[in-house]
Amino acid sequence: VDLSVGDDGAAFTIPPDSEVIVSTDSSVLDTHFTDDLFPEDVGYKAVASAASDLAAMGAEPAGMTLALTLPSVDDLWLHGLSQGLAHACHEYRLPLVGGDTTRGPLSLALTVIGFCPRNEKLLRSKARVGDKICVSGCLGDAAFGLAVLQGQYRGLDLDFDDQEYLVGRFTHPTARLDLGRQLRQRATSCIDLSDGLLQDAAHVANASGVRFSIKSAVVPLSTALVSAVGEVQALEFALSGGEDYELLFTVPPDADVPDEVTVIGMVETGEGVHCDVILREKGYDHFH
């Protein structure tokens, strides 16, 4: 970053033989968070979820801008938000280089900027028949954590440490930037899981013109989630819940997979996604 806050725009020096990667994410009150969520968590989650888009492209983070809309000035809330933003910016090496503030319904719009070596960026459209379908981490934790915050599991005999972990997976997701960098020149396609495994898998399958065949028995579930709701419901959260921000990607059939990654299926001829479990919920809908 050559020029940060203080002028009409920020300035970056682009590394040689690199491309600029840009993504924008919105966080809106009552759509992405509620007013009883700590402002520290609102700030951290907004940055981490935006940084996850850079991870899915295999990009190195460079900086970000924030457009903050507030109904009124609340110094205490803004202090907490600033702490959350600062924590995430430091963790993901994403300095805040500019933005805007205005009055209106509470929302944050973050634009993240990164760099990637030319022709090494990860896309959704290059999955090939025979590729292995892989996913990082465990799925479903964040969706259950959100349900707990919404009061849907009052009275559930849930271990305190498990509850803290599961709620934390929603409020403090992990952007898999290191994994994204590892996948350059290895993965044939990639996406971050924000809308649910099956729904996001369909995005990649449709972009690549193939079918994703996913085996539910090998979808990775955390012991905390299975302990809380049992394996059947845990799997439903994993397949349709969203907000995990893990990476779903494909690699050639003879490729090794990185640590903490699970192979969950195979790319086939056809279209869409096939899974041996039929769900009541299909995934997150951005407009409902």
Side-chain angles (χ1 to χ4, degrees):
V1 178
D2 295 324
L3 185 66
S4 186
V5 177
D7 282 87
D8 289 320
F12 295 86
T13 295
I14 302 173
D17 298 318
S18 294
E19 297 176 277
V20 181
I21 307 295
V22 181
S23 179
T24 298
D25 260 14
S26 296
S27 293
V28 180
L29 179 65
D30 294 329
T31 299
H32 301 96
F33 62 92
T34 59
D35 56 9
D36 55 359
L37 197 65
F38 289 121
E40 293 89 345
D41 295 337
V42 173
Y44 185 95
K45 181 177 171 61
V47 176
S49 59
S52 183
D53 287 332
L54 294 180
M57 298 288 290
E60 297 277 353
M64 73 174 204
T65 63
L66 167 64
L68 176 63
T69 304
L70 291 166
S72 60
V73 175
D74 181 333
D75 289 338
L76 186 60
W77 192 91
L78 281 171
H79 177 71
L81 179 74
S82 298
Q83 287 187 316
L85 291 170
H87 181 192
C89 286
H90 175 76
E91 184 165 335
Y92 294 116
R93 298 182 180 180
L94 261 174
L96 180 64
V97 298
D100 189 30
T101 56
T102 190
R103 184 184 299 274
L106 180 58
S107 67
L108 297 83
L110 281 83
T111 297
V112 290
I113 303 102
F115 301 115
C116 190
R118 189 171 300 279
N119 299 322
E120 291 187 17
K121 58 187 176 294
L122 303 174
L123 304 176
R124 300 180 181 185
S125 55
K126 302 295 184 181
R128 299 186 293 255
V129 173
D131 284 351
K132 295 184 284 193
I133 303 169
C134 307
V135 70
S136 64
C138 293
L139 306 183
D141 295 339
F144 177 77
L146 173 60
V148 170
L149 289 173
Q150 292 174 332
Q152 296 181 26
Y153 285 88
R154 290 193 179 96
L156 181 68
D157 186 15
L158 183 62
D159 178 82
F160 177 79
D161 290 337
D162 285 350
Q163 176 174 316
E164 191 172 54
Y165 163 78
L166 294 165
V167 169
R169 288 276 285 147
F170 172 75
T171 60
H172 284 66
T174 300
R176 302 292 185 181
L177 289 160
D178 287 341
L179 177 59
R181 287 187 285 259
Q182 290 179 50
L183 295 177
R184 294 178 194 156
Q185 298 184 317
R186 296 175 66 181
T188 53
S189 67
C190 189
I191 192 173
D192 70 322
L193 296 177
S194 57
D195 299 340
L197 173 61
L198 296 186
Q199 186 161 305
D200 284 321
H203 295 325
V204 182
N206 294 337
S208 297
V210 294
R211 182 171 90 155
F212 273 31
S213 180
I214 294 174
K215 299 178 180 178
S216 65
V218 291
V219 171
L221 307 173
S222 71
T223 55
L225 183 58
V226 173
S227 176
V229 295
E231 193 162 332
V232 172
Q233 193 169 0
L235 182 61
E236 287 205 11
F237 276 116
L239 294 177
S240 66
E243 297 289 320
D244 287 307
Y245 297 103
E246 297 291 349
L247 295 186
L248 173 72
F249 60 94
T250 56
V251 294
D254 58 348
D256 295 328
V257 299
D259 294 337
E260 298 183 16
V261 164
T262 304
V263 178
I264 61 170
M266 181 176 292
V267 179
E268 302 174 343
T269 56
E271 59 183 20
V273 176
H274 174 266
C275 183
D276 53 328
V277 172
I278 299 175
L279 298 175
R280 292 168 293 178
E281 300 291 337
K282 297 300 183 183
Y284 178 71
D285 186 336
H286 289 265
F287 297 101
H288 291 89

